[in-house]
Amino acid sequence: MGKLYGLIGHPVGHSMSPLMHNGEFKALGLSHHYQAFDLSPEQLEDGVEAMKMLDIQGFNVTIPHKVAIIPLLDEVEQEALDIGAVNTVYKRDGKYIGTNTDGKGYLLSLLTLMKVKDLKNKRVLVIGAGGAARAVAVSISRAGVLSLTIANRTLEKAENLTSVCHAYTTANATTLQEAEMMLSHFDIIINTTSIGMSPHLDRMPLSLEDLNKGTVVSDLIYNPLETKWMRLSKQKGAVTDNGISMFVEQGALAFEKWTGETPDRERMRNAVLKELGGYSC
């Protein structure tokens, strides 16, 4: 008998998660179904109780509920606690357990892009200190990078994030202006902000004047598929990747957690690209 999975957030109408997960259920011959549920902040507590009553076997959590859901769950994994947010909930032995596949998904996408097994000798710059930055920075720190620098408009926010990452690696906070001046120092540069997202297509998070050829430049944005910042990075010889890889990986990890099945990541990626009006590869 098929099982029910879902997504809670507000709004959720734009989400491509139902398309991605239901496509994989069908391709793998599973009679499960994935449904998006639009819950306002005021509806969250009752909504989570309803998910339990419906015996939903697992669900994703998106804005604005990733933090607020934590006290409503039976357990939360340590990495999600470090990040301070839950994006995936799974059921085990009658308990609803929170995890975070955003950071892990990003890490796996980065390792695949770079064709390496670890990041132990890499110096990483993360631009931004919001929710996405926390997921990426914590997971990369836990993976044991050589050093991590967080650059943000508000230095205090960057310092707060580095205080969490210090437990796993050398972590420093800096301003955006200082980060620009030391750009050549980094092996991997990650934009976790919304700067450059449609409709503000001409904006860039940092100047690329001092970017070294061969540097990995990653942008979590995937609308547009290639930001101006990514396009100029590629022209300067950088290895680039957009946010689709992270989106697909975090979804695939949730899928595995829920079903025990391994989804076809390429098929998931192509479904997302097709929906975005991009290309299949």
Side-chain angles (χ1 to χ4, degrees), residues 148-150 157-167 169 171-173:
L148 174 69
T149 302
I150 312 289
K157 272 192 171 183
E159 289 169 343
N160 288 341
L161 181 49
T162 59
S163 68
V164 178
C165 301
H166 267 310
T169 191
N172 303 290

Side-chain angles (χ1 to χ4, degrees), residues 135-148:
V136 167
V138 167
S139 294
I140 280 180
S141 299
R142 288 170 66 98
V145 294
L146 181 63
S147 68
L148 174 69

Side-chain angles (χ1 to χ4, degrees), residues 20-71:
M20 194 165 65
H21 287 294
N22 285 324
E24 278 308 290
F25 289 150
K26 184 176 180 181
L28 294 173
L30 302 170
S31 56
H32 306 328
H33 181 70
Y34 185 102
Q35 178 71 42
F37 300 94
D38 194 322
L39 297 176
S40 69
E42 296 76 25
Q43 296 171 313
L44 178 61
E45 192 166 349
D46 288 342
V48 171
E49 283 305 310
M51 303 290 270
K52 293 177 180 179
M53 287 175 65
L54 289 168
D55 197 32
I56 287 179
Q57 297 298 298
F59 56 95
N60 289 126
V61 185
T62 190
I63 294 168
H65 304 319
K66 290 186 178 186
V67 177
I69 197 171
I70 291 175

Side-chain angles (χ1 to χ4, degrees), residues 14-281:
H14 64 286
S15 175
M16 285 178 286
S17 291
L19 171 86
M20 194 165 65
H21 287 294
N22 285 324
E24 278 308 290
F25 289 150
K26 184 176 180 181
L28 294 173
L30 302 170
S31 56
H32 306 328
H33 181 70
Y34 185 102
Q35 178 71 42
F37 300 94
D38 194 322
L39 297 176
S40 69
E42 296 76 25
Q43 296 171 313
L44 178 61
E45 192 166 349
D46 288 342
V48 171
E49 283 305 310
M51 303 290 270
K52 293 177 180 179
M53 287 175 65
L54 289 168
D55 197 32
I56 287 179
Q57 297 298 298
F59 56 95
N60 289 126
V61 185
T62 190
I63 294 168
H65 304 319
K66 290 186 178 186
V67 177
I69 197 171
I70 291 175
L72 304 178
L73 300 172
D74 298 311
E75 293 177 17
V76 178
E77 291 181 2
Q78 185 58 49
E79 186 167 352
L81 289 173
D82 285 346
I83 293 169
V86 162
N87 84 318
T88 299
V89 176
Y90 61 97
K91 191 176 181 184
R92 290 288 185 279
D93 302 322
K95 292 182 177 180
Y96 283 85
I97 303 169
T99 186
N100 194 304
T101 63
D102 282 333
K104 292 174 192 168
Y106 180 76
L107 178 60
L108 285 173
S109 71
L110 191 60
L111 293 171
T112 301
L113 173 71
M114 297 175 67
K115 299 176 181 168
V116 295
K117 292 182 178 179
D118 62 62
L119 302 174
K120 288 196 167 111
N121 298 315
K122 304 302 180 184
R123 297 163 298 181
V124 182
L125 170 67
V126 171
I127 305 166
R134 288 189 73 87
V136 167
V138 167
S139 294
I140 280 180
S141 299
R142 288 170 66 98
V145 294
L146 181 63
S147 68
L148 174 69
T149 302
I150 312 289
N152 193 56
R153 247 179 346 186
T154 310
L155 189 58
E156 186 181 358
K157 272 192 171 183
E159 289 169 343
N160 288 341
L161 181 49
T162 59
S163 68
V164 178
C165 301
H166 267 310
Y168 306 106
T169 191
T170 301
N172 303 290
T174 189
T175 65
L176 294 172
Q177 292 76 16
E178 288 170 340
E180 280 183 342
M181 290 189 288
M182 52 194 286
L183 215 58
S184 61
H185 173 76
F186 301 106
D187 305 299
I188 302 167
I189 301 168
I190 307 157
N191 175 40
T192 70
T193 76
S194 60
I195 297 171
M197 186 183 288
S198 181
H200 305 293
L201 301 179
D202 285 332
R203 297 180 63 202
M204 299 202 308
L206 283 184
S207 162
L208 295 165
E209 191 174 338
D210 293 329
L211 182 70
N212 282 340
K213 184 178 179 180
T215 302
V216 172
V217 176
S218 174
D219 199 328
L220 301 196
I221 293 171
Y222 53 82
N223 182 19
L225 288 171
E226 185 177 68
T227 60
K228 177 181 179 181
W229 194 63
M230 291 277 283
R231 187 170 65 254
L232 293 180
S233 295
K234 191 183 290 183
Q235 288 172 7
K236 290 179 75 73
V239 178
T240 62
D241 196 26
N242 64 18
I244 287 180
S245 299
M246 175 182 176
F247 177 67
V248 168
E249 273 297 345
Q250 64 79 27
L253 289 172
F255 192 98
E256 289 169 356
K257 201 86 168 173
W258 295 331
T259 67
E261 302 275 351
T262 302
D264 185 323
R265 285 159 164 82
E266 200 61 28
R267 187 164 54 213
M268 293 169 81
R269 180 184 180 87
N270 286 338
V272 172
L273 283 169
K274 184 178 179 182
E275 183 69 12
L276 286 169
Y279 53 90
S280 290
C281 52

